Amino acid sequence: MSGWVFIAVIAAAALHALWNALVKGGADKTLNMGAVIIGHAPLAILAVIYAPLPAPESLPYLFAGLALHFGYQWFLLRAYLLGDLTQVYPIARGSAPLIVALFSVLVLGVHLEGMELLAIAIIGAGIISLALVRRADGLRNGDAAVLALITGLFIASYSLVDGLGARLSGSSLAFFGWMALGNGLMMTAFLAVTSPQSLRDLPRKGLPVFLIGGSASFVAYALVTWAFTQAPIALVTALRETSIVFALLIGVVFLKERLSLMKLASTMTTLLGAVLLRFIRS
């Protein structure tokens, strides 16, 4: 993994944490999730205008990715409605790189060095250990944990599909641009059926999240999709889950969440894995 790819994925992780905090921190999480996904549209339109069309052989991956991204967003929203950010986010993001690495090695035949596998395991352990942190009422939320784990399965699945599709497309930006437009249309239709009031409120109440969260989310995954074409998918997926570090900082500084010793130890473990992953092949 080159230095530029490493920097791009870390930047994507920070942007990803930002839009998740916007969704979780708002009173109407359905409105905020819709605003983020539909908010991809302005940059997505520019991408599809100026980037070449994806190669035809990438289209099955694009359509599969659309379905997987929508499933991810639905389960993430359900998990955020039930659980805390510090519970849902770690399980969802921490389980994904482990699933991707296992599938890449056992099914796709990707060769990872022992130290690379160790770094991935350290990142996953650091993030998942944050799920052991109890809520303010001292209880754990089993339903939210199950939904978060299902979300992690969707993350692992779309990471593999998008990575393979982006490599076949000839243009990772075009590939994601068309996917983002399709995803925005699906989210619009979903809100129109299930939460029409949220859709009506979006231009007024959801405009800041539309502009900030939507742009952050688009740029974050455009960077990740490009990185999938430059480095093993398992390594990119593992490194971008360090977004939990940025989520922790946002939670403590801006959302005024309490920083416990458990959270700090888990965050440092995640950072250790990220540093190890960066310098293994230097």
Side-chain angles (χ1 to χ4, degrees):
M1 181 179 290
S2 71
W4 283 115
V5 175
F6 181 85
I7 292 170
V9 177
I10 291 296
L15 291 170
H16 190 275
L18 172 63
W19 79 255
N20 269 260
L22 289 173
V23 171
K24 176 59 185 174
D28 188 341
K29 295 172 181 57
T30 301
L31 168 64
N32 285 352
M33 178 65 83
V36 167
I37 304 307
I38 299 172
H40 288 174
L43 292 180
I45 291 171
L46 291 176
V48 301
I49 289 175
Y50 291 105
L53 287 171
E57 53 266 33
S58 70
L59 294 183
Y61 294 91
L62 194 153
F63 291 124
L66 276 172
L68 291 169
H69 277 272
F70 186 78
Y72 151 71
Q73 291 149 10
W74 191 89
F75 278 101
L76 180 64
L77 177 59
R78 299 272 79 76
Y80 277 155
L81 290 173
L82 293 177
D84 296 333
L85 180 67
T86 52
Q87 179 191 31
V88 171
Y89 201 89
I91 298 174
R93 307 312 308 189
S95 59
L98 305 184
I99 297 168
V100 170
L102 185 63
F103 187 88
S104 296
V105 172
L106 297 181
V107 179
L108 300 181
V110 175
H111 175 71
L112 298 178
E113 300 293 340
M115 290 300 290
E116 290 174 322
L117 291 172
L118 176 61
I120 291 170
I122 290 174
I123 291 173
I127 297 173
I128 292 176
S129 65
L130 277 165
L132 300 176
V133 175
R134 294 181 180 272
R135 300 187 310 182
D137 58 8
L139 299 176
R140 297 193 180 102
N141 190 331
D143 291 339
V146 171
L147 289 170
L149 181 58
I150 297 173
T151 303
L153 291 171
F154 273 98
I155 294 168
S157 299
Y158 77 60
S159 296
L160 289 166
V161 168
D162 293 350
L164 296 172
R167 292 176 180 183
L168 291 172
S169 69
S171 171
S172 63
L173 181 59
F175 181 83
F176 178 57
W178 284 106
M179 180 179 293
L181 282 180
N183 202 200
L185 291 174
M186 291 173 64
M187 179 60 71
T188 301
F190 174 76
L191 291 179
V193 173
T194 63
S195 185
Q197 186 59 50
S198 294
L199 191 59
R200 286 192 291 269
D201 288 342
L202 197 155
R204 181 168 52 90
K205 297 181 179 178
L207 188 59
V209 178
F210 176 92
L211 295 173
I212 299 173
S215 298
S217 179
F218 183 90
V219 173
Y221 203 65
L223 288 172
V224 168
T225 308
W226 171 77
F228 283 152
T229 68
Q230 305 296 313
I233 297 171
L235 299 189
V236 174
T237 303
L239 185 59
R240 79 185 183 102
E241 306 315 350
T242 55
S243 58
I244 189 62
V245 176
F246 299 102
L248 182 68
L249 293 174
I250 292 171
V252 171
V253 176
F254 296 102
L255 303 182
K256 307 304 180 183
E257 295 180 355
R258 185 173 62 89
L259 179 61
S260 66
L261 181 61
M262 181 69 179
K263 288 181 181 179
L264 183 60
S266 298
T267 300
M268 295 309 297
T269 301
T270 304
L271 282 174
L272 172 63
V275 172
L276 181 62
L277 187 63
R278 168 63 184 92
F279 291 106
I280 283 171
R281 291 187 175 179
S282 297

